[in-house]
Structure formats: structure tokens, C-alpha cells
Amino acid sequence: MTRWTHRWRRGMAALSGSLLMACAVQGAAPMAKSQAPGFFRMMLGAFEVTALFDGTIDLQPTQLLTNTTPAQVNRLLARAYEKEPLPTSVNAYVINTGTKLVMVDAGTGTLGGPTLGALAANLKAAGYQPEQVDEVYITHMHFDHVGGLTHAGQAVFPNAVVRADRRDAEFWLSQANADQAAGDMKAFIEHAMNSLKPYVAAGRFKPFDGDTELLPGVRAVAAHGHTAGHTVYAVESGGQKLMLWGDLMHVAAVQFAQPQVTIAFDGDAKRAAAQRKKAFADAAKQGYVIGASHLPFPGLGRLRAAGKGYEFLPLGHLPVK
Ligand SMILES: [Zn+2]
């Protein structure tokens, strides 16, 4: 080997070494391709509140929203930098009062497909076990609120009492209604019956009738309309208040601006719109925190009147002490 070829080879080796290193540096950190655990915590007076993420479902607001037009819906979606299909969160909430662990709604379980059903895993990620849940309060019996109660016919929360307004129980847990219904409605009723079944069988389903104090600091407030027994829950501790709204609304980009807009899932659209308007006005006036099942996770924040509608001010991440 001549001196020249030796130097040349050594130079090439050094060059390719540095090229390899450059490549290695560029590829050193593979993308994680995973999201943060789906829970969010806040204190409400002496209560600890945890929002749980069940997943997202794609909605087509132009097809689902009523008392509006597709052009209006598209305009409001675009204003919020959104478009169809609209990934829509499914949220549930856990309240630790210090003496009881209460869950409000239970997610979809296995009824909503692969983008949903993460509630139980996120409950555990948040530091709780399903066995620790004492009570589950249901806003209404659509599958995305009750599906997670049951897995393969077994109660997911084996020690919990489940509570909901008797009007929802009478409609959604009625075999006669299931027999008469067809299509989606039949499926919805059967999903509700199967989801509640182990609790009903064990005598651990206890319906209530309209406005009811369920625990010190936790109250059911009738907001009938979306379903016959749709209920919101008022949580109060240390002078602070949280209202858990369930399905009082579905599409933030549209319904905060135009609370009169309704959705095909509303059993009684007129009453649902009236309940929403009343709830929005009260929240903006009082300034308390609200949590809603289908606002972007964690779905917690406050309302401020803006023109003929409202602005939503989401809560940020704060220390919990
Ligand atoms: Zn829902």
C-alpha cells in the first residue's frame, strides 16, 4: 500500500465514521408514538377531582347537528380551526370526597371500538382501583356513559352502587321498549340493559327521582331533555363548585357560540336546548367550573358570556395539594 492510498483510506474511514455518527445522531431518539396517561387532577375545596379520558369518537357535526345548517356548522368549525370528521372526547370524572370514591359516568367499555374504552386503564394510571369505587352516578344511559360499567357480563366496579334518574331507568332498562324498538334505538336500549345488568341483579342499582342529595357535597340536578332522565351533578366543597354536565352539549366549536343548536342524539331537542341555555347562563354568571363529557379532555373550565353566546376558558395544569 502506498503512503497516498493509506492516507486516502484513513481519510475515507474517518469521513464515513463521521457520516455514520451524524446518521446515528439524527436517528438516536425514535418517536414515542404514545400519548400522556389520560387523567387530569384538580382540587375542589377538600375534594380531589380526577377527569378520566375514555378516548375519542369521530363525529360528523354537519349531519348530526340540528336547528342549524351545514354551512353554519362548517363556518363555526373553521373558526375553531376544526373540520369533519371531528374527534370528540369521551370523559368521565372521579370525586374523592375523603370518605367516598364517586365516579360520574363510566365511558364506553367495549361498545365504542378501538379509539375508546381506555377509562379503566386511566383510572388505574390515576392511582385508583375499580374495587375502590363506592358509587357511580350516571348522567344518562347512552352507551358512551354506561358501557364501561360492565366487561364480559361482569361488573367492572364490584363494590359500587350505581345511581341514575328513574326516568332513564324506566326507558332504557325496559324489556318492552327493547322489544318494540328497531335499529339504533334497539341497540342503544340493549347496550344500556347489558351494561346495568350485573348491578341490577345484585340489588346495587338504586334509581333516584329528580333533584336529590346523594352524598354531602354531591347532588343530582334534573336536566331532563337529552334523555328523559338526563341529570347533571353539582359537586361542592369549601365554597367551591363544580357542575358535571354530562351531555348538556356535544360540539364546543358550535354550541358555545350558538346554544340553541341541538343534536340528533337529543331525545327531546327543545328541552335539551332549554337546559343548555339555562346551564350556560348560570355558569357564566356564577363563575364555577364545569366538566362536560364531550368537551376536549379534560373538559373542565369556566364560561364567559360573549356576544349572543359564550366563550369557554379551559382549566390549566396546576399543582394539587
Ligand atoms: Zn354522550
Side-chain angles (χ1 to χ4, degrees), residues 140 142 144-145 226 247 250 293-294:
H140 64 295
H142 284 163
D144 52 317
H145 301 259
H226 178 63
D247 279 15
H250 293 79
S293 304
H294 302 303

Side-chain angles (χ1 to χ4, degrees), residues 105 136-142 146 162-173 196 205-212 214 219-225 227-233 271 275:
D105 285 339
V136 184
Y137 300 158
I138 298 298
T139 59
H140 64 295
M141 293 193 184
H142 284 163
V146 295
V162 177
R163 310 209 59 183
D165 191 286
R166 69 168 178 80
R167 290 160 190 81
D168 252 41
E170 282 164 9
F171 184 83
W172 299 102
L173 304 183
L196 271 292
F205 173 61
K206 297 185 177 166
F208 53 79
D209 191 357
D211 295 359
T212 306
L214 299 170
R219 198 159 38 90
V221 180
H224 307 160
T227 63
H230 184 270
T231 299
V232 301
Y233 293 94
R271 281 179 87 195
Q275 296 287 4

Side-chain angles (χ1 to χ4, degrees), residues 175-240:
Q175 188 59 54
N177 284 352
D179 293 343
Q180 282 165 24
D184 282 352
M185 182 56 92
K186 194 180 188 69
F188 268 57
I189 296 174
E190 286 172 354
H191 285 332
M193 292 180 78
N194 291 334
S195 300
L196 271 292
K197 202 172 183 175
Y199 302 89
V200 173
R204 290 195 286 109
F205 173 61
K206 297 185 177 166
F208 53 79
D209 191 357
D211 295 359
T212 306
E213 168 113 20
L214 299 170
L215 280 176
V218 187
R219 198 159 38 90
V221 180
H224 307 160
H226 178 63
T227 63
H230 184 270
T231 299
V232 301
Y233 293 94
V235 186
E236 289 179 86
S237 174
Q240 295 184 42

Side-chain angles (χ1 to χ4, degrees), residues 56-62 65 70-89 249-257 294-297 312 314:
T56 60
I57 185 167
D58 279 351
L59 293 186
Q60 303 285 344
T62 59
L65 293 176
Q72 276 274 32
V73 170
N74 279 327
R75 186 179 65 78
L76 288 167
L77 288 176
R79 203 180 70 157
Y81 302 94
E82 286 170 346
K83 59 178 166 39
E84 301 189 294
L86 182 68
T88 303
S89 292
M249 65 178 303
H250 293 79
V251 182
V254 175
Q255 289 173 300
F256 280 127
H294 302 303
L295 284 177
F297 180 78
F312 183 60

